[in-house]
Amino acid sequence: LLDGEAGPPNPEAALPWPQAAASAHHPFAQFKLAEIYERGSIVPRDVAKAEALYAEAAARGVPQAATRLNLLRSGAVSPPRP
């Protein structure tokens, strides 16, 4: 639902899935939810929440999260494109 792999994209309906998985400490879900908060396309933009989720995902071995976290903290990057 989030990216349209299982039919037409419906991000609002899909949001509970990455939220639940991130709450269960699934690192890739934390990374994807961080992107959602950083982007602010489905939920209001919350850079602090995105940063915290990127940090958790990076600590659990998601290299993309570590990269994104470093870029976000350095101010060297704009929000990812929706």
Side-chain angles (χ1 to χ4, degrees):
L1 290 173
L2 189 59
D3 57 15
E5 286 185 26
N10 187 344
E12 291 80 13
L15 187 59
W17 297 101
Q19 286 174 324
S23 292
H25 306 290
H26 186 283
F28 191 71
Q30 290 170 324
F31 171 69
K32 295 307 284 182
L33 192 57
E35 286 185 320
I36 290 168
Y37 278 108
E38 184 185 359
R39 201 177 281 133
S41 58
I42 303 171
V43 296
R45 188 166 190 243
D46 188 335
V47 175
K49 192 172 271 191
E51 190 173 321
L53 286 163
Y54 281 138
E56 289 183 45
R60 288 183 171 81
V62 179
Q64 304 95 317
T67 300
R68 197 78 200 154
L69 179 62
N70 289 332
L71 290 170
L72 188 63
R73 286 181 173 168
S74 73
V77 68
S78 299
R81 299 167 95 177

